Amino acid sequence: NRNQNLRSDNTTGFRGVKCYKDKEVGSGHHIRLWHAQIAVNGKNITSKCFDTKKEAIVERKKMEAKYWGETYD
């Protein structure tokens, strides 16, 4: 539901933005990959992966505008 508060287990601070995974890039170093997700007619639509949380937030807002006609903060 679009009007609900953030879940208590949300770790990104933004609805529909998730840390996809920590990717190992060698020598024990990891990078995080982020994606946006939105539910439309009971189906989840997931974006491509992004290098930063900020990019995923921008994509989530674009998805909201495309599928819902407005954005929610």
Side-chain angles (χ1 to χ4, degrees):
N1 186 331
R2 297 179 219 174
N3 296 320
Q4 292 179 341
N5 292 328
L6 284 178
R7 290 172 44 126
S8 62
D9 61 351
N10 182 299
T11 58
T12 65
F14 201 88
R15 178 178 287 114
V17 174
K18 301 180 187 322
C19 179
Y20 177 63
K21 64 179 172 179
D22 286 326
K23 181 179 178 184
E24 186 171 348
V25 291
S27 302
H29 297 287
H30 292 261
I31 60 171
R32 286 187 164 180
L33 297 176
W34 302 87
H35 72 257
Q37 185 174 347
I38 193 167
V40 179
N41 296 326
K43 299 198 182 226
N44 286 329
I45 299 171
T46 303
S47 72
K48 68 176 188 170
C49 290
F50 296 95
D51 292 330
T52 67
K53 180 169 69 169
K54 185 174 182 178
E55 290 174 303
I57 291 171
V58 169
E59 180 65 18
R60 168 62 188 215
K61 288 185 177 193
K62 287 179 185 177
M63 293 169 82
E64 289 176 1
K66 177 180 178 180
Y67 293 108
W68 294 344
E70 56 188 311
T71 62
Y72 297 81
D73 290 328

